[in-house]
Amino acid sequence: MSAQLDHAATATMSHWATVPMISVLAAVIVARLFLVSRRQLDRRVTQILIWWLFVALLRESWMQTVIISNTSMTLSDIRLLTHACVIGAAVAVYLVVRSWSLRPVETRTVVGLYGAGFAAVVVLAVLGEPARAQGIAVEELQSWHTAAYMIVYSAPMPLALFAIMKWCARLFCRANSAPSLRVGLAFVIAASCVSMYDHLTRMATGIMLSWDWHNALTESRSQSNDVLFLPATCVIAMVLSVPAISEAKIRLRSDPSSRAVVRLQDMWQDLIEAAPKVELETAGLLHTSAEREHRMLIECEDALFLLLPYMNSAALDEDATPAERVKAISAAMRLFKDSDGERQSVAPPQWLIDENELLRVADAWART
């Protein structure tokens, strides 16, 4: 095994630095799995963190020792597995972008994207086989294999992160975004920029090494495989822990209003996103869970009133099930988004002003 392979596959940061960050990452994953896993979007976000946790663990020397001692895998195999997890994370990031739309991500889309990711890993295995056979890093081949390997490995994540940054920037610039949200978005954008630099410079390094061109960039990139990755990942994980902390605070309360807030949260958030003008100016005025529940019910009712002209008649029927209403609301949100807003108003049905029925619709929304 070459020294460069060891440097390329193993974390260069000290254990006292990597272990706390890995522990934070694992803790946020556990908290999100238990507290914020109802919506498809939340589950996709957690999947990104899980892939990143695998990457961080596979780069730890103690984990590599355990794997090599108990399996027939070599360090080259572990590095390929690490890169496979990076590609898996890129797929998960893209699925998060897709989950922001009002249409649920279909199973065939998920299978197709992960299938494409698996194909990319197979390509990496073929491109890296000459290096594996010699026990060296793919960078040491200094042939077209090096450039092709680094491009296939590094290209997916910047493309996915660009979409994330674009969405975060749009939210940041929105007039009604809270200051705390903007701080979190700024951290995510900054960490994403660091990650993009990490992957783009890896591609550039691969191309340079394929031409046997050595310089300060190629030297620094071969010695710092986790300096740019793990701190940025830890920052994003801490930002993503905020929803879990908020959910934990709500669940620790047992009053009916707190439980109603939890039930309404997912549908209310999507309705506000679709019809932001119904959001009330209540900054600093919501001191209790009862006040928050009242505000969320009003905004849900106002948003649904705007969507009524775009719903089919079956969904307006009093005998429709909550699941049927959810389907009709989702379809109406898409039509409302693309319309000119000139449809004639519809008289509100009884279920719209029935708080218990609205909560049942919110429950069905969270399960969808």
Side-chain angles (χ1 to χ4, degrees), residues 204-205 208-209 212-222:
T205 297
M208 291 177 186
L209 290 177
D212 196 17
W213 182 11
H214 296 268
N215 52 38
L217 177 62
T218 60
E219 181 65 22
S220 64
R221 292 308 354 238
S222 65

PDB file of all heavy atoms in Angstrom, residues 204-205 208-209 212-222:
ATOM      1  N   ALA A 204     -10.395  19.436 -10.599  1.00  0.00           N
ATOM      2  CA  ALA A 204      -9.257  20.135 -11.199  1.00  0.00           C
ATOM      3  C   ALA A 204      -7.953  19.396 -10.912  1.00  0.00           C
ATOM      4  O   ALA A 204      -7.085  19.257 -11.796  1.00  0.00           O
ATOM      5  CB  ALA A 204      -9.184  21.562 -10.647  1.00  0.00           C
ATOM      6  N   THR A 205      -7.816  18.892  -9.685  1.00  0.00           N
ATOM      7  CA  THR A 205      -6.608  18.146  -9.319  1.00  0.00           C
ATOM      8  C   THR A 205      -6.474  16.879 -10.148  1.00  0.00           C
ATOM      9  O   THR A 205      -5.379  16.528 -10.614  1.00  0.00           O
ATOM     10  CB  THR A 205      -6.656  17.789  -7.821  1.00  0.00           C
ATOM     11  OG1 THR A 205      -6.667  18.997  -7.056  1.00  0.00           O
ATOM     12  CG2 THR A 205      -5.449  16.962  -7.433  1.00  0.00           C
ATOM     13  N   MET A 208      -5.234  17.805 -13.580  1.00  0.00           N
ATOM     14  CA  MET A 208      -3.820  18.193 -13.545  1.00  0.00           C
ATOM     15  C   MET A 208      -2.911  16.983 -13.394  1.00  0.00           C
ATOM     16  O   MET A 208      -1.892  16.847 -14.091  1.00  0.00           O
ATOM     17  CB  MET A 208      -3.580  19.166 -12.382  1.00  0.00           C
ATOM     18  CG  MET A 208      -4.216  20.529 -12.555  1.00  0.00           C
ATOM     19  SD  MET A 208      -3.963  21.582 -11.098  1.00  0.00           S
ATOM     20  CE  MET A 208      -4.958  23.006 -11.529  1.00  0.00           C
ATOM     21  N   LEU A 209      -3.282  16.069 -12.497  1.00  0.00           N
ATOM     22  CA  LEU A 209      -2.434  14.893 -12.267  1.00  0.00           C
ATOM     23  C   LEU A 209      -2.421  13.965 -13.478  1.00  0.00           C
ATOM     24  O   LEU A 209      -1.441  13.257 -13.710  1.00  0.00           O
ATOM     25  CB  LEU A 209      -2.926  14.134 -11.030  1.00  0.00           C
ATOM     26  CG  LEU A 209      -2.693  14.845  -9.684  1.00  0.00           C
ATOM     27  CD1 LEU A 209      -3.296  14.032  -8.552  1.00  0.00           C
ATOM     28  CD2 LEU A 209      -1.206  15.080  -9.441  1.00  0.00           C
ATOM     29  N   ASP A 212       0.345  14.861 -15.368  1.00  0.00           N
ATOM     30  CA  ASP A 212       1.581  14.850 -14.574  1.00  0.00           C
ATOM     31  C   ASP A 212       1.998  16.272 -14.200  1.00  0.00           C
ATOM     32  O   ASP A 212       3.177  16.623 -14.223  1.00  0.00           O
ATOM     33  CB  ASP A 212       2.707  14.144 -15.350  1.00  0.00           C
ATOM     34  CG  ASP A 212       3.875  13.772 -14.427  1.00  0.00           C
ATOM     35  OD1 ASP A 212       3.675  13.763 -13.198  1.00  0.00           O
ATOM     36  OD2 ASP A 212       4.973  13.522 -14.936  1.00  0.00           O
ATOM     37  N   TRP A 213       0.990  17.078 -13.847  1.00  0.00           N
ATOM     38  CA  TRP A 213       1.225  18.468 -13.486  1.00  0.00           C
ATOM     39  C   TRP A 213       1.060  18.593 -11.971  1.00  0.00           C
ATOM     40  O   TRP A 213      -0.038  18.529 -11.443  1.00  0.00           O
ATOM     41  CB  TRP A 213       0.244  19.376 -14.226  1.00  0.00           C
ATOM     42  CG  TRP A 213       0.438  20.836 -13.956  1.00  0.00           C
ATOM     43  CD1 TRP A 213       1.471  21.433 -13.318  1.00  0.00           C
ATOM     44  CD2 TRP A 213      -0.462  21.886 -14.343  1.00  0.00           C
ATOM     45  NE1 TRP A 213       1.304  22.791 -13.269  1.00  0.00           N
ATOM     46  CE2 TRP A 213       0.120  23.109 -13.891  1.00  0.00           C
ATOM     47  CE3 TRP A 213      -1.671  21.934 -15.029  1.00  0.00           C
ATOM     48  CZ2 TRP A 213      -0.490  24.339 -14.097  1.00  0.00           C
ATOM     49  CZ3 TRP A 213      -2.278  23.155 -15.235  1.00  0.00           C
ATOM     50  CH2 TRP A 213      -1.684  24.347 -14.783  1.00  0.00           C
ATOM     51  N   HIS A 214       2.163  18.767 -11.260  1.00  0.00           N
ATOM     52  CA  HIS A 214       2.142  18.865  -9.803  1.00  0.00           C
ATOM     53  C   HIS A 214       2.364  20.320  -9.387  1.00  0.00           C
ATOM     54  O   HIS A 214       3.253  21.004  -9.907  1.00  0.00           O
ATOM     55  CB  HIS A 214       3.237  17.989  -9.194  1.00  0.00           C
ATOM     56  CG  HIS A 214       3.051  16.528  -9.458  1.00  0.00           C
ATOM     57  ND1 HIS A 214       2.383  15.684  -8.607  1.00  0.00           N
ATOM     58  CD2 HIS A 214       3.440  15.762 -10.525  1.00  0.00           C
ATOM     59  CE1 HIS A 214       2.372  14.462  -9.109  1.00  0.00           C
ATOM     60  NE2 HIS A 214       3.008  14.482 -10.281  1.00  0.00           N
ATOM     61  N   ASN A 215       1.547  20.777  -8.462  1.00  0.00           N
ATOM     62  CA  ASN A 215       1.689  22.146  -7.956  1.00  0.00           C
ATOM     63  C   ASN A 215       1.138  22.207  -6.534  1.00  0.00           C
ATOM     64  O   ASN A 215       0.829  21.172  -5.932  1.00  0.00           O
ATOM     65  CB  ASN A 215       0.955  23.141  -8.876  1.00  0.00           C
ATOM     66  CG  ASN A 215      -0.488  22.738  -9.125  1.00  0.00           C
ATOM     67  OD1 ASN A 215      -1.162  22.242  -8.220  1.00  0.00           O
ATOM     68  ND2 ASN A 215      -0.958  22.934 -10.353  1.00  0.00           N
ATOM     69  N   ALA A 216       0.991  23.417  -5.989  1.00  0.00           N
ATOM     70  CA  ALA A 216       0.541  23.577  -4.601  1.00  0.00           C
ATOM     71  C   ALA A 216      -0.873  23.042  -4.405  1.00  0.00           C
ATOM     72  O   ALA A 216      -1.203  22.469  -3.352  1.00  0.00           O
ATOM     73  CB  ALA A 216       0.602  25.055  -4.214  1.00  0.00           C
ATOM     74  N   LEU A 217      -1.749  23.194  -5.421  1.00  0.00           N
ATOM     75  CA  LEU A 217      -3.122  22.713  -5.292  1.00  0.00           C
ATOM     76  C   LEU A 217      -3.168  21.195  -5.214  1.00  0.00           C
ATOM     77  O   LEU A 217      -3.842  20.632  -4.342  1.00  0.00           O
ATOM     78  CB  LEU A 217      -3.969  23.206  -6.469  1.00  0.00           C
ATOM     79  CG  LEU A 217      -5.423  22.713  -6.481  1.00  0.00           C
ATOM     80  CD1 LEU A 217      -6.175  23.212  -5.263  1.00  0.00           C
ATOM     81  CD2 LEU A 217      -6.131  23.161  -7.773  1.00  0.00           C
ATOM     82  N   THR A 218      -2.471  20.521  -6.128  1.00  0.00           N
ATOM     83  CA  THR A 218      -2.490  19.054  -6.108  1.00  0.00           C
ATOM     84  C   THR A 218      -1.879  18.510  -4.824  1.00  0.00           C
ATOM     85  O   THR A 218      -2.331  17.500  -4.285  1.00  0.00           O
ATOM     86  CB  THR A 218      -1.736  18.488  -7.321  1.00  0.00           C
ATOM     87  OG1 THR A 218      -0.371  18.952  -7.285  1.00  0.00           O
ATOM     88  CG2 THR A 218      -2.384  18.932  -8.620  1.00  0.00           C
ATOM     89  N   GLU A 219      -0.868  19.208  -4.312  1.00  0.00           N
ATOM     90  CA  GLU A 219      -0.224  18.758  -3.072  1.00  0.00           C
ATOM     91  C   GLU A 219      -1.175  18.931  -1.878  1.00  0.00           C
ATOM     92  O   GLU A 219      -1.322  18.032  -1.051  1.00  0.00           O
ATOM     93  CB  GLU A 219       1.063  19.554  -2.840  1.00  0.00           C
ATOM     94  CG  GLU A 219       1.831  19.158  -1.583  1.00  0.00           C
ATOM     95  CD  GLU A 219       2.373  17.742  -1.633  1.00  0.00           C
ATOM     96  OE1 GLU A 219       2.540  17.199  -2.740  1.00  0.00           O
ATOM     97  OE2 GLU A 219       2.611  17.172  -0.541  1.00  0.00           O
ATOM     98  N   SER A 220      -1.814  20.090  -1.788  1.00  0.00           N
ATOM     99  CA  SER A 220      -2.703  20.346  -0.645  1.00  0.00           C
ATOM    100  C   SER A 220      -3.932  19.453  -0.686  1.00  0.00           C
ATOM    101  O   SER A 220      -4.402  18.978   0.353  1.00  0.00           O
ATOM    102  CB  SER A 220      -3.124  21.812  -0.634  1.00  0.00           C
ATOM    103  OG  SER A 220      -3.884  22.121  -1.787  1.00  0.00           O
ATOM    104  N   ARG A 221      -4.464  19.174  -1.879  1.00  0.00           N
ATOM    105  CA  ARG A 221      -5.668  18.345  -1.983  1.00  0.00           C
ATOM    106  C   ARG A 221      -5.380  16.893  -1.642  1.00  0.00           C
ATOM    107  O   ARG A 221      -6.261  16.165  -1.185  1.00  0.00           O
ATOM    108  CB  ARG A 221      -6.257  18.433  -3.391  1.00  0.00           C
ATOM    109  CG  ARG A 221      -6.851  19.724  -3.836  1.00  0.00           C
ATOM    110  CD  ARG A 221      -7.902  20.393  -2.947  1.00  0.00           C
ATOM    111  NE  ARG A 221      -8.356  19.682  -1.801  1.00  0.00           N
ATOM    112  CZ  ARG A 221      -9.619  19.343  -1.549  1.00  0.00           C
ATOM    113  NH1 ARG A 221     -10.538  19.617  -2.421  1.00  0.00           N
ATOM    114  NH2 ARG A 221      -9.948  18.750  -0.441  1.00  0.00           N
ATOM    115  N   SER A 222      -4.148  16.444  -1.861  1.00  0.00           N
ATOM    116  CA  SER A 222      -3.807  15.061  -1.527  1.00  0.00           C
ATOM    117  C   SER A 222      -3.557  14.881  -0.037  1.00  0.00           C
ATOM    118  O   SER A 222      -3.477  13.754   0.451  1.00  0.00           O
ATOM    119  CB  SER A 222      -2.556  14.627  -2.304  1.00  0.00           C
ATOM    120  OG  SER A 222      -1.422  15.374  -1.904  1.00  0.00           O
TER     121      SER A 222
END
